[in-house]
Amino acid sequence: MSFIVKIPGADFSNSGLPKLSRTVMSFPAANLQGLWLAQDGAVGAGVSSLSDSAGNNNTATLMSDFVPPVRTSAGLQSVAGPDQSFIFDSGIKLSAQNTAIICAVSLTDSATTDAWEAFMSDTQSGIQRSKSTLSNVGTRPSLVGRHDKDGTTLAGNLTLLDRSELYFPTYLKIAPTATYGLLTEPFIYAHAINNEKMNVRTYSGFSSDQEIISSPSDAINLYADAGNFCFGHWRNGSPENNQSHGVLYAAAYYDKALNEEEMTAAMAAMAKLVRERGVAI
């Protein structure tokens, strides 16, 4: 026999007792729309679709005529060739409140002149549509990186592009290497967006809150014609960038802006799963 005692008006939220919360592979489960581990198929085989480990059946599919990346023990690696891009379409429409997380690394030759590459965006944000076309992402916040043998301030850095300029006074968010990190080393990056601000996070400890510059209604309007959340590794910008070579380890998407506690848990979960594959984060 068991008893349940209810005390009207009692609040034990600050009692110090542990709180139970549902997780998926240590990721906070609430509002998790997609979790793609890049572990589909046999090692050495090309992969054209990624199963959704969040359990929502949001299978991500390889877009256009891109050559399928090859499964390795660590993730998905682009194949050798003049254009090694690959983009996976999650099938999930980007919402005005969202959190996107990715773990990846660039293997592009760091001596390439003015080589830009993108890692996540949405399908209506100027992405590369086929092997023969170029990409110019940033209609909505998108993660890119740049190589430059001339050693500019952007060389080797992860960079946030937001051509809407809703969250930054200029569309190109330049962060020192010590904050966003190098794209040539395995990285975990995330941004959480709601109608009033964007929080940018990296596993290395960088965190920045950007208050919206205009109005929340502008943010809602910005996402009205958004496409689907997409991720991978593809060339972006100038024609010189005919190389785009890298590894995707995993990606996740929430249809809400995670709070600080949730974001910390999600970033730790991402680090745990890729470290178990032998990836140094």
Side-chain angles (χ1 to χ4, degrees):
M1 180 179 293
S2 62
F3 297 92
I4 298 176
V5 179
K6 295 183 178 181
I7 305 174
D11 181 3
F12 300 106
S13 60
N14 295 318
S15 65
L17 296 175
K19 300 176 183 178
L20 297 179
S21 58
R22 194 167 64 89
T23 62
V24 175
M25 301 185 70
S26 298
F27 287 81
N31 296 85
L32 178 60
Q33 297 300 303
L35 175 60
W36 305 276
L37 304 180
Q39 294 286 279
D40 301 77
V43 172
V47 176
S48 297
S49 64
L50 299 178
S51 58
D52 172 19
S53 293
N56 298 316
N57 295 318
N58 285 319
T59 300
T61 56
L62 186 69
M63 293 185 62
S64 190
D65 60 350
F66 297 121
V67 178
V70 174
R71 162 78 192 279
T72 69
S73 59
L76 296 181
Q77 182 168 321
S78 55
V79 298
D83 182 7
Q84 303 145 322
S85 295
F86 63 91
I87 306 176
F88 284 94
D89 179 351
S90 71
I92 304 171
K93 179 177 169 58
L94 203 67
S95 59
Q97 299 193 43
N98 71 80
T99 300
I101 309 172
I102 192 168
C103 183
V105 68
S106 171
L107 302 178
T108 301
D109 184 356
S110 59
T112 304
T113 301
D114 197 24
W116 291 80
E117 46 202 348
F119 299 94
M120 62 184 190
S121 187
D122 75 85
T123 55
Q124 295 297 320
S125 193
I127 64 170
Q128 184 180 353
R129 286 290 175 182
S130 67
K131 290 190 296 185
S132 61
T133 61
L134 289 175
S135 169
N136 191 23
V137 299
T139 306
R140 282 158 290 276
S142 305
L143 181 66
V144 301
R146 183 189 188 188
H147 298 279
D148 193 333
K149 68 179 181 181
D150 297 325
T152 69
T153 56
L154 288 173
N157 279 24
L158 288 170
T159 304
L160 184 69
L161 276 176
D162 175 23
R163 299 183 194 281
S164 70
E165 300 184 11
L166 288 185
Y167 300 97
F168 302 102
T170 58
Y171 73 82
L172 191 62
K173 174 61 177 176
I174 303 172
T177 299
T179 53
Y180 277 24
L182 285 169
L183 65 152
T184 52
E185 297 175 355
F187 63 84
I188 301 175
Y189 168 94
H191 58 240
I193 299 172
N194 63 29
N195 297 339
E196 297 180 354
K197 72 176 183 178
M198 170 191 289
N199 175 248
V200 176
R201 295 280 294 269
T202 65
Y203 187 71
S204 61
F206 175 74
S207 179
S208 176
D209 281 324
Q210 304 291 335
E211 299 294 333
I212 193 166
I213 293 171
S214 50
S215 69
S217 61
D218 289 335
I220 294 173
N221 292 336
L222 177 67
Y223 285 87
D225 61 349
N228 298 336
F229 172 63
C230 63
F231 56 92
H233 192 268
W234 67 95
R235 60 192 179 119
N236 187 67
S238 59
E240 291 87 355
N241 185 12
N242 58 4
Q243 297 186 52
S244 181
H245 188 29
V247 178
L248 168 71
Y249 299 115
Y253 179 81
Y254 291 81
D255 64 356
K256 76 166 188 173
L258 296 185
N259 62 33
E260 183 175 353
E261 181 180 356
E262 293 167 330
M263 182 74 89
T264 298
M267 300 284 271
M270 183 71 82
K272 179 178 181 293
L273 72 86
V274 296
R275 281 173 173 156
E276 290 174 347
R277 305 176 196 168
V279 179
I281 295 293

